[in-house]
Amino acid sequence: MRFLTAGESHGPQLTAIIEGLPSQLPLLKADIDPMLRKRQGGYGRGRRMVIETDEAQIMSGVRAGRTTGAPVTLVIENKDHRNWTEIMSPEEGGEPRKKALTEARPGHADLTGGIKYRHKDLRDVLERASARETTARVAVGAVALKLLSELGIDGVSYVTHLGGVDALGAFGWDRLDEIEASDLRTLDKNAEQRMRSGIDQAKKDGDTLGGIVEIRFRGLPPGLGSYVHWDRKLDGRIAAAVMGTQAIKGVEIGTGFENARVPGSKVHDAVYVGEGGHGYRRETNGAGGLEAGMTNGEDLIVRAAMKPIATLMKSLPTVDVVSHQPADAAKERSDTSAVPAAGIVLHAVIGWVLADAVMERFGGDSLPELLERVQAARNYAQHY
Ligand code: EPS
């Protein structure tokens, strides 16, 4: 499977085209929009999220609530575009344009993007580098998650750290409602309160806060990915998708970094005979569901670190790329923190990688064919 997204933050719309989905997958706008809404939420978002009410229009590849096997096109309107029509117009004229950006923001794509593409109005860089693009990736991921749900696979994201505050609550699949009820997607009420105060203070200071999110999936059949080829190893593919997400600077699978400090006997997950004498089970999951680049049937556990958003109201020193004089970085409207939203984006992009790995291993042009193949593989693993 593959997808491509297009669109600028203040352009008319975001567009995504997905190719390679099986036919007969039940798919409605209602399968996508709730995930888009969740991405917009979380304490610490800025005014832009009040303007937008993200919803997907399915423009191709689906009829009567089912995929046909043809490419699926998704469109999400940028409601803010009506305030930017002249600035974003593809037509000639109006140079320099209103809202031209010349004071490169440290930590953003602005300066290097300007050098690379020879832009002096750094808005030509900003508009595509903006994390607004994650809306399109979440829409694509929601379709992948729908495919996974048909196979009995589901996932969740939650926040374990924000701006210096650790959330200590232990994860359990019976605590999903608590995560959804928390506007910081944490399992620790006390930490949540401190995170909220931290965001309020950062906003007053003109600053921003990053954090750490954890993403889990359950129900994965063993053997997705590869131990044979470097570019098919699933841990590598997941890391690439996570690191390819705006503002993500670190990724860990299972207890990856902690494992470096302790002996192997305390790291690896012992294997026992499964219940009823069939199959296999493990009592620990330090591997985070992946051994040698393949799913092993345990829950997938991925952690990711998000840097604080680079647009600061308390500007850092920079250089104006037109006058070449020292300047304060451009003050663009921004979120104070978007860590819970990053969790939703990563849930979506990891969902995509998993759905892609499912299609690679089992193939099938239609969902019924895929289901038969996955069921056969699960039976085989159970009796192996
Ligand atoms: C972003 C800047 C802000 C954020 C935006 C990402 O947008 P604006 O400049 O319109 O205020 O709100 O995020 C989104 C629009 C979104 O949907 O998440 C940036 O520069 O990256």
Side-chain angles (χ1 to χ4, degrees), residues 1 224-241 292-294 352-354 356-357 360-361:
M1 296 202 297
L224 299 180
S226 171
Y227 67 90
V228 177
H229 298 295
W230 71 271
D231 56 345
R232 293 188 186 175
K233 278 178 175 275
L234 199 56
D235 37 14
R237 285 157 63 177
I238 288 169
M294 299 170 294
W352 170 268
V353 173
L354 294 174
D356 188 36
E360 177 187 270
R361 172 148 192 233

Side-chain angles (χ1 to χ4, degrees), residues 185-325:
R185 299 189 72 78
T186 73
L187 286 160
D188 179 342
K189 286 278 159 221
N190 183 278
E192 186 177 300
Q193 201 45 51
R194 284 183 294 133
M195 288 172 180
R196 214 175 272 127
S197 312
I199 292 170
D200 292 343
Q201 189 59 48
K203 188 172 166 122
K204 264 191 220 139
D205 296 344
D207 221 326
T208 58
L209 295 176
I212 300 174
V213 293
E214 199 162 290
I215 301 93
R216 294 195 181 224
F217 276 85
R218 61 177 168 181
L220 293 160
L224 299 180
S226 171
Y227 67 90
V228 177
H229 298 295
W230 71 271
D231 56 345
R232 293 188 186 175
K233 278 178 175 275
L234 199 56
D235 37 14
R237 285 157 63 177
I238 288 169
V242 169
M243 292 295 287
T245 299
Q246 291 84 340
I248 303 300
K249 291 290 152 191
V251 60
E252 181 183 29
I253 290 177
T255 48
F257 281 93
E258 194 48 39
N259 292 354
R261 301 172 191 277
V262 289
S265 57
K266 301 244 181 323
V267 167
H268 300 294
D269 307 308
V271 180
Y272 303 95
V273 175
E275 275 163 41
H278 290 298
Y280 303 84
R281 69 185 170 82
R282 294 165 178 84
E283 290 184 351
T284 53
N285 188 14
L290 287 170
E291 285 171 314
M294 299 170 294
T295 51
N296 63 7
E298 303 294 328
D299 288 356
L300 174 70
I301 307 171
V302 182
R303 251 180 302 279
M306 180 191 199
K307 71 177 182 181
I309 289 166
T311 307
L312 306 180
M313 296 311 283
K314 175 176 72 181
S315 303
L316 291 170
T318 190
V319 175
D320 186 303
V321 298
V322 172
S323 69
H324 215 254
Q325 294 302 306

Side-chain angles (χ1 to χ4, degrees), residues 9-10 39 45 48-49 80 105 108 130-132 135 332-335:
S9 179
H10 303 98
R39 193 204 66 92
R45 302 301 307 266
R48 175 78 187 269
M49 288 305 100
D80 203 15
R105 296 161 303 162
H108 260 290
S130 165
R132 176 72 185 151
T135 312
E332 288 278 312
R333 181 176 62 185
S334 167
D335 303 322

Side-chain angles (χ1 to χ4, degrees), residues 60-71:
S60 76
V62 178
R63 281 193 69 225
R66 286 181 182 264
T67 54
T68 62

